[in-house]
């Protein structure tokens, strides 16, 4: 009896949560976002798609835009149907950096005391794979945003750079750290010190090799707690196609 109750409770909870996700998605899909376009794409609607949409400002990353990106990521993160997330811009600009007009008159006290732009970090804490599809300018915070993602796909017109030095400042969202790991110290220093732009198609690395290997080993071990790992290996042995259940 209690089992039946639990089951129906579970179904009720599941239905409520899934309705909540649908409402959240519809709310935002219904035009609540000002600076981004958000939808689910793919044959199975399992790709969360976020397009930065401030064309007149070359997708400069104003505070409102980054808050909206955070909201969209939150809703995709908790949406069980979504397996991966894509962040993209336009052909002309992925993002031309943090919004310089917004930063122009900020003081040290405001930035330091208010932990200015700390919420940008949300992108790098998403558990699902996040892919940056980059074309056009990916500069300053735009380059940093791309590097916070797990994978970068760069189009022919992609131009990466950390031109903060030309504004009298330095990268503030991982540019000195992730870029070094992505392209090596020499090129990273050249880019940060000159503000020059380059085309790159290289993977980015968040951890040292040793840390990464350790984490990889643990995650590899963890796959042995899933039914899908068992199914995948069994299917290989039985010479058939695996039938994964996301379990
Ligand atoms: N912020 C605000 N507005 C911008 C930005 C920007 N980053 N980039 C472009 N725009 C605006 C321009 O002001 C212009 O608007 P308007 O027509 O109203 O004047 C419009 O976009 C089009 O720009 P341009 O006319 O300049 O277009 P061009 O094709 O001539 O040049 C460039 C394109 C080369 C991309 C040029 O716009 C440029 O150099 N932009 C600035 C690039 C830059 O310096 N980016 C780094 C910004 S600083 C930063 O990102 C720090 C991140 C720190 C994060 C910290 C987190 C904790």
């Amino acid at each position: 009896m209690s089992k039946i109750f639990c089951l129906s409770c579970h179904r009720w909870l599941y239905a409520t949560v899934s309705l909540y996700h649908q409402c959240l998605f519809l709310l935002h899909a219904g035009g609540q976002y000002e600076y981004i376009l958000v939808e689910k794409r793919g044959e199975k609607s399992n790709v969360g798609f976020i397009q930065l949409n401030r064309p007149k400002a070359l997708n400069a990353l104003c505070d409102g835009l980054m808050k909206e990106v955070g909201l969209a990521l939150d809703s995709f993160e908790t949406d069980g149907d979504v397996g991966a997330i894509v962040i993209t811009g336009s052909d002309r600009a992925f993002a031309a950096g943090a919004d310089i007009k917004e930063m122009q008159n900020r003081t040290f006290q405001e930035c330091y005391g208010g932990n200015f732009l700390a919420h940008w970090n949300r992108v790098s804490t998403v558990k699902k794979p996040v892919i940056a599809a980059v074309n056009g300018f990916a500069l300053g915070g735009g380059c940093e945003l791309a590097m916070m993602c797990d994978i970068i796909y760069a189009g022919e017109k992609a131009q990466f750079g950390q031109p903060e030095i030309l504004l009298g400042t330095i990268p503030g969202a991982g540019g000195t750290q992730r870029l070094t790991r992505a392209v090596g110290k020499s090129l990273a220093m050249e880019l940060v010190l000159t503000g020059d732009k380059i085309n790159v198609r290289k993977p980015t690395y968040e951890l040292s090799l040793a840390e990464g290997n350790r984490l990889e080993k643990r995650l590899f071990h963890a796959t042995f707690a899933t039914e899908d790992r068992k199914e995948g290996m069994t299917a290989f042995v039985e010479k058939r196609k695996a039938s994964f259940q996301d379990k």
Side-chain angles (χ1 to χ4, degrees):
M1 184 63 180
S2 67
K3 205 168 187 179
I4 294 169
F5 173 75
C6 282
L7 257 182
S8 54
C9 262
H10 182 261
R11 280 199 197 109
W12 176 83
L13 194 68
Y14 181 80
T16 311
V17 169
S18 118
L19 187 68
Y20 167 76
H21 286 150
Q22 278 167 24
C23 287
L24 201 65
F25 181 74
L26 285 176
L27 185 76
H28 294 312
Q32 294 302 305
Y33 290 120
E34 189 181 348
Y35 303 112
I36 59 176
L37 303 172
V38 178
E39 59 180 321
K40 292 207 265 183
R41 287 197 176 176
E43 256 176 46
K44 297 179 187 165
S45 292
N46 55 2
V47 178
F49 188 83
I50 300 172
Q51 181 165 19
L52 312 181
N53 189 34
R54 280 188 87 196
K56 286 188 184 149
L58 301 182
N59 291 335
L61 304 167
C62 62
D63 197 45
L65 185 151
M66 288 308 289
K67 282 192 174 131
E68 289 186 2
V69 168
L71 279 175
L73 290 172
D74 287 346
S75 77
F76 286 143
E77 181 88 301
T78 50
D79 184 335
D81 294 335
V82 169
I85 299 163
V86 172
I87 301 180
T88 194
S90 67
D91 261 12
R92 186 158 178 233
F94 176 72
D99 192 315
I100 300 167
K101 292 168 189 170
E102 235 179 39
M103 292 186 290
Q104 186 186 358
N105 295 316
R106 284 195 157 260
T107 63
F108 166 74
Q109 284 84 351
E110 283 167 356
C111 290
Y112 191 78
N115 211 357
F116 181 49
L117 299 182
H119 59 289
W120 277 39
N121 200 34
R122 175 71 185 109
V123 183
S124 58
T125 61
V126 174
K127 291 193 210 82
K128 294 179 181 177
V130 183
I131 298 163
V134 178
N135 233 342
F137 300 113
L139 303 177
C143 184
E144 291 170 316
L145 174 63
M147 290 190 294
M148 281 178 207
C149 299
D150 300 297
I151 300 172
I152 300 177
Y153 283 111
E156 296 291 333
K157 296 186 209 149
Q159 288 187 61
F160 296 85
Q162 298 287 167
E164 286 87 345
I165 196 158
L166 305 175
L167 301 167
T169 184
I170 66 162
T176 64
Q177 301 301 307
R178 293 195 179 95
L179 189 61
T180 313
R181 287 161 170 79
V183 300
K185 179 189 164 210
S186 178
L187 182 54
M189 278 197 78
E190 186 182 330
L191 291 174
V192 170
L193 294 178
T194 62
D196 286 352
K197 306 180 195 68
I198 52 157
N199 299 306
V200 282
R201 293 182 189 207
K202 295 198 179 201
T204 65
Y205 307 104
E206 181 85 4
L207 303 169
S208 72
L209 189 58
E211 288 167 335
N213 280 337
R214 213 167 19 247
L215 178 63
E216 179 192 71
K217 187 66 59 42
R218 282 284 166 235
L219 293 175
F220 169 72
H221 292 159
T223 64
F224 283 70
T226 69
E227 291 175 25
D228 281 350
R229 194 279 318 161
K230 181 82 187 296
E231 163 62 11
M233 293 189 180
T234 305
F236 174 82
V237 172
E238 294 177 355
K239 299 189 185 302
R240 60 175 172 81
K241 196 167 184 292
S243 166
F244 293 122
Q245 306 296 325
D246 292 329
K247 286 182 181 165

